[in-house]
Amino acid sequence: MTEVVSENSEVTVLLVDDNPQNLKVLYETLKDKGYRLLIANEGQKALDLAHRHQPEVILLDIMMPDMDGYEVCKRLKAEPSTTDCAVVFLSALDDLQAKVKGFSLGGADYISKPFQSLEVIARVKTHARVIRLERELQARNRELQGDQARILNSISEGIYGLDENGVIEFANPAAAQIMGCPVDELIGRNFFETHFATCQEGQDGLPGHTTCSQGVAENRRNIRMLRMDGSGFPAQYRSTPKLDQGELHGAVVVFDDITAELQSEAALEEARALVQEQRDQLAHASRLTTMGEMAAGFAHEVNQPLTAITNYARVSKRMMAKEEPDLGLLGETLDKIEAQSHRASEIIRRIRRFMKKPATGKEVISVPTLLEDTRQFAEVDMRNNDGGIELSVPDNLPEVTADPIQVQQVALNLIRNALEATRSADVSIPVQVSAELLGSSCVRVQVRDHGIGLSDDAEDKLFLPFYTTKDEGMGIGLATCRSLIQAQGGDIGFERPEGGGACFYFTLPVAGSSGAPCAPEQSSGIEEG
């Protein structure tokens, strides 16, 4: 059972499962998404199709007769024509060992059965984009490698032979072409004086000088060389000493114009910056949404100290109108005005700090301080939901490295959700916010409520964009939270605690830790239904 069921020359997706019903579900999910779909119901057919078509993404069932998904993945990764395919394992297995084995064999991702259509679509789309970009980069790399081979075969890199003083004794045609003049005009010129504007300031430190004078090989990139007409270009060069029976006789310099390479690198860096900018914009939009929901409460919060200031000011005016005002009482009243102004200022300061777009990125932060600040920020929600918050953080908790604004955004979102869930269950138990050290390099923050919990069909979708259980929700809160925490190098998920309710958590790396200390140990806390 192998057939092409849709035509699209851009992205090919191979569906592999011995269960016809599963294949049908996958096909129906992806058939209108513009992919070229291939179907195989057993391992060998999957390998044959993969070798012929080199699909970008392979959705591969693990539990199959004759040849299981692990063996198929192993063979795919051993074959050069299919080693770059993104293998996404499909299985009802949900244990750590199964996932570790899949990833160790080269698997790119893991989707648990029963399938969730939105998850399948999102993961296929993501991996298809990644593989297409990787293949484009590989194609460009192969072109560059081919260019390099042709360069070596035809000696098309610029090559100079220099004496110990830097005088050009030999130049190949490629050097003449790069420098824009005949070879004869290059011979006899001083390499440093001809091609470097700073030579008049001294030759020490110029590319190739140490090689000519001391016999030390050099390899430098992105230096600026001058052509004969005075125009400049970025170059990469290698210089090796010319030795004759141990005696130094100058250097051989091989150089090339890398203008196009630098432009490609700049474009790639620009794309990376754009992705980060879009992530920050989404986070800021989510904060604006949160602030809109909390606006009425904060207006009331700020109005209280402003009203108090007005009343105290009136009292002060009446006292000052007396023939012999009580200066002591007047001073106390003015102190109260100052205290209320500080209170209003602190409320506004927290709002402005939460609303701003972070400019410094990650920094070393204190988890207790951040959580206490978040708890104060959630006081309006506590009153609106007739709830409370208990904060429990050990004194010796180490600092973490993260973006404080984005982490506070995640913590506030989870706390507000917990307060709403508690109110819906009509219980008075406060929301419990705590933090603990996991191992030596990861801090876990969790928000526990005793609310109504989560329905079975909702928990599989909680972290998907635009899914919400709220009547007026936009469904970007938890999806944004996951994106923000993953950007910090952490993990986010939830658990079903005994006694009901829900416990959401996220992890952050301890300051100074290396690697991926907060990578998920199993699934990210999301149970499959």
Side-chain angles (χ1 to χ4, degrees):
M1 175 184 172
T2 60
E3 62 174 315
V4 177
V5 296
S6 180
E7 290 296 331
N8 187 308
S9 60
E10 291 186 343
V11 175
T12 300
V13 179
L14 173 58
L15 313 177
V16 186
D17 199 309
D18 63 324
N19 186 318
Q21 183 61 32
N22 288 341
L23 287 175
K24 181 178 179 181
V25 171
L26 292 172
Y27 164 62
E28 292 294 333
T29 299
L30 298 172
K31 69 175 183 178
D32 296 324
K33 304 305 176 184
Y35 301 121
R36 177 175 178 248
L37 298 179
L38 307 174
I39 288 178
N41 64 348
E42 55 96 33
Q44 187 57 53
K45 292 179 181 179
L47 291 174
D48 293 341
L49 279 174
H51 292 156
R52 287 203 305 270
H53 300 282
Q54 289 87 51
E56 280 78 6
V57 181
I58 300 176
L59 301 183
L60 179 60
D61 185 30
I62 292 178
M63 306 302 292
M64 295 188 298
D66 298 331
M67 186 188 303
D68 65 14
Y70 294 134
E71 181 62 24
V72 174
C73 181
K74 181 178 179 182
R75 296 190 185 186
L76 288 170
K77 296 303 177 180
E79 179 64 37
S81 64
T82 56
T83 187
D84 67 339
C85 298
V87 176
V88 179
F89 284 110
L90 308 171
S91 179
L93 299 176
D94 196 28
D95 63 285
L96 176 62
Q97 293 302 117
K99 293 183 178 181
V100 169
K101 182 176 181 180
F103 290 132
S104 68
L105 292 172
D109 209 340
Y110 194 97
I111 299 178
S112 297
K113 298 178 181 178
F115 307 126
Q116 299 297 323
S117 297
L118 291 178
E119 180 182 14
V120 172
I121 292 169
R123 291 179 188 263
V124 169
K125 182 178 181 180
T126 297
H127 289 295
R129 285 179 176 174
V130 171
I131 295 303
R132 286 180 61 189
L133 289 174
E134 288 181 351
R135 289 185 174 179
E136 289 176 6
L137 290 175
Q138 290 171 2
R140 292 180 184 177
N141 287 336
R142 286 193 293 270
E143 290 176 4
L144 291 175
Q145 291 171 358
D147 289 343
Q148 291 173 355
R150 286 189 292 274
I151 286 171
L152 293 176
N153 292 336
S154 61
I155 319 178
S156 58
E157 281 185 298
I159 300 177
Y160 281 144
L162 311 180
D163 68 12
E164 58 271 20
N165 296 315
V167 175
I168 301 172
E169 298 178 324
F170 167 81
N172 71 335
Q177 182 178 3
I178 293 172
M179 295 306 172
C181 68
V183 171
D184 293 343
E185 294 186 16
L186 292 171
I187 303 299
R189 288 180 173 271
N190 184 280
F191 171 71
F192 308 111
E193 295 175 357
T194 302
H195 297 308
F196 299 101
T198 58
C199 182
Q200 295 179 352
E201 302 172 5
Q203 296 185 359
D204 292 344
L206 290 177
H209 184 267
T210 304
T211 307
C212 288
S213 60
Q214 302 178 28
V216 179
E218 295 180 6
N219 187 347
R220 292 170 61 181
R221 189 172 186 271
N222 199 12
I223 62 167
R224 186 166 182 80
M225 294 183 67
L226 298 178
R227 296 185 176 90
M228 295 296 289
D229 62 3
S231 62
F233 65 93
Q236 176 173 308
Y237 87 96
R238 303 184 302 277
S239 61
T240 55
K242 291 194 302 183
L243 300 174
D244 184 5
Q245 296 181 349
E247 184 177 350
L248 181 63
H249 291 278
V252 174
V253 176
V254 181
F255 62 94
D256 198 12
D257 185 341
I258 60 170
T259 301
E261 289 184 32
L262 293 180
Q263 289 174 344
S264 297
E265 292 172 3
L268 179 60
E269 187 59 34
E270 183 179 350
R272 289 173 178 164
L274 179 60
V275 170
Q276 184 58 45
E277 181 182 354
Q278 291 174 342
R279 186 199 301 270
D280 291 341
Q281 288 176 350
L282 178 60
H284 188 62
S286 179
R287 289 199 295 277
L288 290 173
T289 300
T290 300
M291 187 53 61
E293 296 171 355
M294 302 171 68
F298 277 114
H300 176 73
E301 186 80 0
V302 174
N303 189 56
Q304 286 183 330
L306 293 180
T307 300
I309 289 172
T310 301
N311 293 334
Y312 288 138
R314 290 172 179 170
V315 171
S316 299
K317 289 177 66 177
R318 287 198 297 269
M319 287 190 292
M320 293 176 63
K322 295 180 179 180
E323 293 184 1
E324 296 182 3
D326 186 339
L327 296 181
L329 182 57
L330 179 60
E332 292 178 4
T333 306
L334 292 176
D335 288 341
K336 291 178 181 179
I337 291 177
E338 181 181 11
Q340 291 297 326
S341 68
H342 285 314
R343 177 184 171 190
S345 176
E346 176 63 19
I347 296 169
I348 295 172
R349 181 189 66 82
R350 289 204 305 267
I351 295 173
R352 293 181 63 186
R353 187 171 60 189
F354 180 74
M355 291 293 293
K356 72 176 182 179
K357 288 186 178 180
T360 57
K362 295 181 181 180
E363 59 187 66
V364 176
I365 59 177
S366 166
V367 174
T369 300
L370 184 139
L371 292 180
E372 172 58 27
D373 197 27
T374 306
R375 187 196 66 79
Q376 294 178 16
F377 206 73
E379 286 180 353
V380 172
D381 285 280
M382 280 192 286
R383 286 191 292 272
N384 290 342
N385 291 282
D386 297 324
I389 300 173
E390 287 186 356
L391 183 60
S392 175
V393 182
D395 296 334
N396 60 347
L397 193 68
E399 295 177 321
V400 298
T401 302
D403 184 315
I405 300 298
Q406 294 186 354
V407 173
Q408 186 183 62
Q409 179 176 349
V410 173
L412 180 61
N413 190 298
L414 297 183
I415 290 173
R416 295 182 70 231
N417 287 348
L419 287 168
E420 293 177 8
T422 301
R423 181 190 62 184
S424 298
D426 196 23
V427 297
S428 59
I429 303 176
V431 171
Q432 298 162 341
V433 181
S434 61
E436 62 179 338
L437 180 65
L438 297 182
S440 60
S441 57
C442 185
V443 169
R444 167 174 161 142
V445 177
Q446 67 179 32
V447 179
R448 163 82 158 93
D449 67 66
H450 293 79
I452 59 176
L454 298 165
S455 61
D456 292 339
D457 62 340
E459 62 185 4
D460 297 330
K461 306 174 184 178
L462 279 176
F463 291 93
L464 295 178
F466 307 115
Y467 175 80
T468 180
T469 58
K470 302 177 183 179
D471 293 337
E472 299 179 357
M474 294 179 62
I476 63 173
L478 288 177
T480 301
C481 287
R482 181 171 64 176
S483 175
L484 296 181
I485 290 300
Q486 289 176 345
Q488 315 303 319
D491 181 35
I492 187 169
F494 72 89
E495 297 172 345
R496 290 175 169 273
E498 294 183 6
C503 177
F504 282 82
Y505 69 86
F506 61 88
T507 58
L508 298 169
V510 170
S513 60
S514 58
C518 294
E521 297 179 1
Q522 298 182 8
S523 65
S524 60
I526 306 173
E527 302 174 4
E528 293 297 336

